[in-house]
């Protein structure tokens, strides 16, 4: 599957890309929100993996922008965040993400977690809160 990774930290990009490519996925990398939004319209990803802590435009704003594109209606967005505060999960989901993976990435479970989201593709028009 083709996965668009939006992540500003090069070490996190390297690790996530390594783990997903090891499972046969294609990973396209964006280093910022605006770059990711631009790429999402061109590369037809099967899933978008979105860091929340991004400079200039944070992951919440990126998710909202991605969700305003009807072409991405069925594409799952999975947030990656180190925030552990109560309410952050709700904020991630409210911004249009479908799921949530916590940093630091666990190499043992990361790819399996992503594949679970790949299997449950969104339904167009699915209610979002
Ligand atoms: Mn970051």
């Amino acid at each position: 599957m083709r996965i668009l990774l939006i992540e500003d930290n090069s070490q996190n990009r390297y690790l996530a890309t390594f783990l997903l490519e090891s499972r046969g996925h294609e990973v396209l990398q964006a280093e910022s929100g605006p770059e990711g939004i631009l790429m999402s319209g061109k590369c037809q990803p099967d899933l978008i993996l979105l860091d929340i802590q991004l400079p200039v435009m944070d992951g919440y704003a990126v998710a909202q922008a991605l969700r305003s594109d009807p072409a991405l209606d069925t594409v799952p967005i999975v947030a990656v965040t180190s925030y552990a505060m109560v309410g952050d999960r709700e904020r991630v989901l409210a911004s249009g993400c479908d799921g949530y993976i916590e940093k630091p990435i666990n190499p043992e479970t990361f790819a399996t977690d992503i594949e679970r989201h790949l299997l449950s593709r969104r339904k167009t028009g699915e209610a979002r809160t």
Side-chain angles (χ1 to χ4, degrees):
M1 299 289 219
R2 179 177 298 157
I3 296 167
L4 173 60
L5 171 63
I6 306 174
E7 164 70 77
D8 62 311
N9 180 283
S10 61
Q11 287 184 318
N12 290 338
R13 274 203 310 277
Y14 177 85
L15 178 59
T17 299
F18 172 78
L19 292 169
L20 292 168
E21 287 184 346
S22 297
R23 300 278 275 250
H25 301 294
E26 178 187 0
V27 179
L28 301 163
Q29 299 183 342
E31 298 183 20
S32 73
E35 184 188 356
I37 292 165
L38 201 65
M39 287 177 68
S40 71
K42 298 176 179 173
C43 71
Q44 296 187 298
D46 296 299
L47 181 142
I48 298 171
L49 198 51
L50 174 63
D51 182 29
I52 293 297
Q53 288 177 288
L54 293 167
V56 184
M57 185 178 189
D58 70 23
Y60 302 113
V62 176
Q64 286 174 340
L66 293 169
R67 280 290 166 246
S68 71
D69 180 353
L72 300 175
D73 252 3
T74 61
V75 179
I77 302 175
V78 179
V80 184
T81 177
S82 53
Y83 293 154
M85 290 166 60
V86 174
D88 281 344
R89 182 179 176 84
E90 287 69 20
R91 191 174 172 201
V92 160
L93 298 176
S95 69
C97 296
D98 302 280
Y100 179 80
I101 288 178
E102 284 188 26
K103 287 180 185 174
I105 286 172
N106 180 348
E108 303 287 323
T109 58
F110 178 72
T112 303
D113 286 345
I114 299 301
E115 285 164 356
R116 183 164 44 81
H117 286 287
L118 276 168
L119 290 172
S120 59
R121 284 177 67 90
R122 300 169 59 90
K123 298 180 186 73
T124 303
E126 182 178 354
R128 295 189 289 272
T129 55

